[in-house]
Amino acid sequence: MNGVIHISLTDKDLTTTDSKYVQQHLANERTFLAWVRTGIAMAGIGFLAAGFGFNSSAYDRLAHIAAIITGITSLVGGISIILYSAAAYHRKRTQINEQTFQASTGLIRFLTMMLLVIGLALAILLYVLLFPA
């Protein structure tokens, strides 16, 4: 031998912690992307509601307030969902690798409250637009 060291890597040597749980990590990634789509859709609802309020001929103070509440809540809620889901993705990735996964309900509760506020503001906006005073 002329001093050259040959290292042979087997398939087992190339296995990482992430690769042991590929299906779980892919599901985690799909869930993250679904939350991102939800956040984008939520922000879009606010712009749509604001557009209805500003283009209305029966536009009054209550419609303006409902449009503002809907727009701001939707935008802040959408951005918050995207940020929170990114943090949840990384936390779940670690939990999957450590086999300590625990389902979290914080994001679900937050989304429920945001949609409740947005739904109420949209209902007020629709009522004012359909039945002007």
Side-chain angles (χ1 to χ4, degrees):
M1 302 263 163
N2 55 8
V4 176
I5 300 174
H6 294 279
I7 299 175
S8 127
L9 296 175
T10 64
D11 289 340
K12 193 171 188 175
D13 293 335
L14 296 175
T15 302
T16 64
T17 304
D18 284 354
S19 65
K20 291 179 185 177
Y21 308 106
V22 171
Q23 295 299 321
Q24 290 85 353
H25 285 295
L26 293 173
N28 187 29
E29 189 172 319
R30 287 189 299 272
T31 302
F32 167 69
L33 294 173
W35 280 116
V36 169
R37 287 189 300 272
T38 301
I40 291 169
M42 182 178 276
I45 288 171
F47 287 109
L48 181 65
F52 281 134
F54 290 119
N55 292 329
S56 171
S57 59
Y59 187 70
D60 68 358
R61 182 177 167 88
L62 189 56
H64 180 69
I65 292 171
I68 289 172
I69 290 172
T70 304
I72 291 173
T73 304
S74 294
L75 186 61
V76 169
I79 291 169
S80 298
I81 285 174
I82 292 169
L83 293 174
Y84 189 82
S85 66
Y89 168 80
H90 291 291
R91 184 178 61 253
K92 289 174 186 174
R93 181 177 179 268
T94 302
Q95 290 175 346
I96 289 168
N97 285 338
E98 295 173 354
Q99 294 184 345
T100 59
F101 178 78
Q102 293 181 339
S104 60
T105 57
L107 188 58
I108 304 297
R109 288 181 185 150
F110 176 74
L111 180 62
T112 301
M113 293 307 295
M114 286 286 112
L115 290 177
L116 180 64
V117 170
I118 292 167
L120 289 173
L122 283 172
I124 292 169
L125 179 61
L126 184 62
Y127 180 80
V128 170
L129 294 176
L130 292 176
F131 306 106

